[in-house]
Amino acid sequence: MTTRQQPGLTGAEAGSTAERTLRGLGVSPGIAIGPAHVMEAGAIQVPEYTVVETALADEVARFHGAAEKARRQLGKLKAKAGTLPADAAADMAILLDAHQAMLSGSRLIRGVERRIRTERLNAESAVQQEITVLAQSFAAMDDAYLAARVADVREVGRRLIRNLMETPYQAFSRLPDGAIILAEELSPADTALLDPRRIGGFATVLGGAEGHTAIMARSLSLPAVLGAAGLLQGVETGDLVVVDGRAGRVLINPSEDVLADYRQRQALWKAEREQLKALAGLPAITRDGTSLTLNANLELPREMEGARDAGAAGVGLLRTEFMYMNRDDLPGEEEQYQELRDLIIAMDGRPVTARTLDVGGEKLAGALADRFATPANPALGLRAIRLGLKEPKLLETQLAAMLRAGAHGPIRILVPMISNPSEMRKVRELMRAVARRLLRRGHAIADPLPPLGAMIEIPGAALAADSLASVSDFFAIGTNDLIQYTLAIDRGDEQVAYLYDPLHPAVLRLVQFTVEAAGRAGIPVSVCGEMAGDPRYAALLLGLGVRELSMAPGNLPLVKRRVRGLDLREATRRAGMIMSQTDGGRIAALLDDFNEALG
């Protein structure tokens, strides 16, 4: 972090007007300039109810789960603070240590547990009441230092309550146009609430380049920087902020010269995007005449217009989680059918690949949060198709909506996190049973039944792709989770972001296994992870035999430009050279040399 004060002001006088530059992970390109909106924990409406005697143990466990999550959050913040200048890092570490101490065997923890067990209070209310009593006792002490710790007590309490309630930020609609959100962390559900027509961009202290929040930012074409240590220190709502989502920089209160430079960069960025629009109506065809399919990934229905404008051949991945986010109940069959029907009609005959619910991990839907125990490792626990098969009513409702929507246009059904053929067989049996029931009820459905595909995102699935191909109508390779699981890294954790390597030989071999298995079975295979939307990887994926790519709508022109500039025979030869390598650095050099020759 660099700091430069306004001329003529001392440090104290400068306050928040001092220019600061922070570095983080540029996760979504573009430059945003606008007023800061600093997200505070804010007041939360805490529910209060009586817990039945038989549920007290579960309520205590729920509280301890929230406390454990808070400790992990503080641990991440402390690690991030280590990248700050020495004095700032030391101060931050002392503060975070104090917060962590309040969450481990403390009076706070014991008091909340006692209130749940003896007063039968729900955990949120027990935390609030215990925090109130603690704050009052601190404030009454004849010790200025301890009295000043009241703010720390309240902050720890807010963190616990927010974790218990899985509360997303809700006030985005009231922000001024072009506002830039600065926050400790934004969840995917928070990000889904951002309207790119009104929000300029955002930056956070926590978050990784390949996490779902980053994916959502790219999908919405919102400039974003994650993992910026010290972001919230000394910044106030209303301060002028620049977010450079390509370089991973956040500038707070930039000088006039710096601001002018970034306004020029912003204008150039917009001009380049305008030029790329001319590609929308051109075919995705290589120089040697091979036609390819470039589809759009959709997170939210409002991206549909952008997908059409970008010339998407279809929707290669519709993440249906949007219907489950930011609500307290579950969407029914009719609601899901209407949402899907409108999307299919809007695509006007172009195919839509709808993925069944993929919640769990960082994407837990609020309405489901209270129904299942929090797993020790959410990424490996009850999520995606595992959840659907454990709660078949949940899956059947989705399948019914998809089958009915398929009566209005072409649809494919994609099943996430498949690990073995028996899961695909069970889903197919469920789909057929749902189809029979819908026909008995007199509903029109897709005829014939839609293709049913397996998402290949687990290394074991890729290695067993031949057997999965025998029970699947198509494959879609989800490179985000495939890389995460292959390299054993949390793709949302900025501390290990440097290990996230799409060009790791193991990852490339798994992609190759999958493509070759699909070829032997004669079924289509696509790539719908973030690799597909990065022009850097286009030649390699095509050289490996992939002919269908699906990506955020904003990336479609960039990838199409690269596709139209390459010769597939040369790309295939270069892919062969790359696959004979065992060193990641050599692989990257071979690919980058090839791309540079394309210009």
Side-chain angles (χ1 to χ4, degrees):
M1 179 181 71
T2 60
T3 300
R4 186 168 65 81
Q5 296 168 0
Q6 296 277 323
L9 295 179
T10 66
E13 290 169 333
S16 65
T17 63
E19 178 184 313
R20 292 195 298 142
T21 300
L22 303 107
R23 292 184 182 277
L25 302 169
V27 301
S28 182
I31 293 173
I33 302 173
H37 181 82
V38 181
M39 298 303 302
E40 304 285 355
I44 303 172
Q45 294 298 318
V46 177
E48 180 176 342
Y49 54 87
T50 300
V51 180
V52 297
E53 189 76 26
T54 54
L56 288 176
D58 288 342
E59 192 67 3
V60 170
R62 191 167 72 90
F63 166 64
H64 284 295
E68 173 57 30
K69 183 177 180 180
R71 287 192 288 272
R72 289 198 302 271
Q73 291 167 335
L74 291 169
K76 284 185 176 182
L77 287 172
K78 189 175 177 181
K80 177 57 65 177
T83 64
L84 295 173
D87 290 348
D91 290 344
M92 183 65 77
I94 292 171
L95 177 67
L96 296 175
D97 283 344
H99 287 194
Q100 283 190 314
M102 291 183 213
L103 292 165
S104 301
S106 64
R107 176 181 166 185
L108 169 62
I109 297 295
R110 294 193 302 273
V112 172
E113 186 171 337
R114 177 182 55 76
R115 287 179 187 275
I116 295 173
R117 292 190 186 281
T118 62
E119 301 175 29
R120 292 172 53 189
L121 283 174
N122 60 302
E124 295 91 340
S125 181
V127 170
Q128 187 178 52
Q129 293 195 20
E130 191 64 21
I131 288 292
T132 300
V133 171
L134 279 173
Q136 289 172 347
S137 63
F138 270 54
M141 290 180 182
D142 187 19
D143 184 307
Y145 175 79
L146 290 177
R149 302 283 71 76
V150 170
D152 295 337
V153 173
R154 293 194 188 283
E155 186 170 334
V156 170
R158 283 196 295 268
R159 185 179 293 280
L160 283 169
I161 291 172
R162 185 169 290 281
N163 287 347
L164 284 164
M165 296 178 65
E166 299 282 347
T167 308
Y169 298 116
Q170 295 283 356
F172 298 139
S173 62
R174 296 192 292 273
L175 300 187
D177 285 353
I180 293 175
I181 294 169
L182 305 180
E184 178 183 302
E185 188 173 23
L186 284 182
S187 70
D190 295 327
T191 313
L193 298 173
L194 303 181
D195 183 348
R197 294 169 300 184
R198 297 191 60 251
I199 302 297
F202 66 89
T204 66
V205 180
L206 301 176
E210 306 303 331
H212 206 73
T213 296
I215 292 172
M216 187 76 81
R218 288 190 284 271
S219 191
L220 294 172
S221 297
L222 274 173
V225 173
L226 305 187
L231 176 69
L232 301 182
Q233 290 178 284
V235 64
E236 297 178 359
T237 292
D239 285 350
L240 187 63
V241 173
V242 175
V243 170
D244 185 341
R246 175 179 283 173
R249 290 196 185 95
V250 180
L251 296 94
I252 297 171
N253 292 318
S255 67
E256 288 298 326
D257 288 346
V258 171
L259 184 60
D261 177 50
Y262 270 93
R263 289 200 188 283
Q264 186 175 23
R265 296 188 198 192
Q266 187 184 47
L268 289 172
W269 167 260
K270 290 179 178 177
E272 182 186 5
R273 303 302 294 186
E274 285 298 318
Q275 289 177 353
L276 286 171
K277 286 182 179 177
L279 293 172
L282 300 178
I285 186 168
T286 62
R287 284 198 342 250
D288 52 340
T290 301
S291 293
L292 306 168
T293 301
L294 300 186
N295 289 325
N297 294 344
L298 296 188
E299 300 274 348
L300 301 167
R302 64 174 182 253
E303 298 168 65
M304 178 65 71
E305 185 177 348
R308 286 198 309 255
D309 291 347
V315 176
L317 175 61
L318 173 63
R319 295 180 168 106
T320 58
E321 294 80 62
F322 73 88
M323 290 185 273
Y324 293 76
M325 287 181 173
N326 298 311
R327 58 189 296 167
D328 296 325
D329 57 352
L330 295 174
E333 176 188 319
E334 186 63 25
E335 179 183 345
Q336 294 191 53
Y337 157 67
Q338 291 181 16
E339 290 272 12
L340 293 169
R341 177 200 60 193
D342 291 347
L343 284 166
I344 287 171
I345 290 174
M347 286 306 289
D348 194 24
R350 285 168 281 187
V352 173
T353 303
R355 187 178 67 184
T356 60
L357 189 61
D358 185 13
V359 295
E362 61 176 341
K363 295 180 286 185
L364 191 62
L368 294 168
D370 295 336
R371 296 172 59 172
F372 304 101
T374 302
N377 189 335
L380 302 178
L382 186 63
R383 56 172 295 194
I385 195 55
R386 300 170 182 181
L387 177 63
L389 291 175
K390 184 176 177 61
E391 292 284 324
K393 288 296 181 187
L394 200 64
L395 180 58
E396 288 172 9
T397 300
Q398 277 216 303
L399 292 173
M402 291 174 181
L403 292 176
R404 290 176 59 192
H408 300 277
I411 186 172
R412 303 193 302 180
I413 298 177
L414 180 61
V415 187
M417 212 173 178
I418 285 292
S419 61
N420 60 69
S422 70
E423 291 171 327
M424 284 300 292
R425 292 191 189 98
K426 289 176 183 175
V427 176
R428 195 177 294 278
E429 289 169 7
L430 272 178
M431 182 174 75
R432 288 170 176 161
V434 169
R436 290 192 293 270
R437 189 169 69 243
L438 289 172
L439 290 172
R440 286 197 299 271
R441 286 162 45 189
H443 287 297
I445 64 171
D447 184 17
L449 292 181
L452 189 66
M455 195 154 184
I456 305 298
E457 50 192 337
I458 298 174
L463 293 170
D466 278 312
S467 61
L468 281 172
S470 68
V471 293
S472 304
D473 299 319
F474 66 96
F475 281 162
I477 303 174
T479 52
N480 306 338
D481 275 338
L482 184 62
I483 296 168
Q484 170 176 251
Y485 292 134
T486 302
L487 304 181
I489 57 169
D490 181 347
R491 62 189 173 97
D493 187 343
E494 73 282 357
Q495 300 174 90
V496 292
Y498 69 98
L499 291 172
Y500 189 90
D501 182 11
L503 296 179
H504 192 288
V507 174
L508 297 182
R509 279 167 175 70
L510 293 173
V511 172
Q512 186 180 41
F513 287 157
T514 304
V515 174
E516 290 177 352
R520 285 189 289 273
I523 63 173
V525 58
S526 67
V527 174
C528 60
E530 292 300 294
M531 273 184 82
D534 188 335
R536 183 189 185 200
Y537 305 116
L540 176 57
L541 292 173
L542 300 184
L544 289 174
V546 177
R547 296 293 180 266
E548 182 178 335
L549 302 172
S550 191
M551 64 207 75
N555 288 352
L556 269 162
L558 296 169
V559 173
K560 184 182 284 187
R561 183 170 62 183
R562 176 56 50 88
V563 163
R564 290 177 59 85
L566 65 82
D567 183 298
L568 187 59
R569 292 164 299 190
E570 294 175 3
T572 302
R573 280 194 290 272
R574 182 56 59 111
M577 291 173 61
I578 287 174
M579 294 310 295
S580 67
Q581 305 298 316
T582 57
D583 178 73
R586 177 64 178 157
I587 289 173
L590 283 170
L591 181 58
D592 291 340
D593 285 349
F594 185 82
N595 285 329
E596 285 179 15
L598 293 176

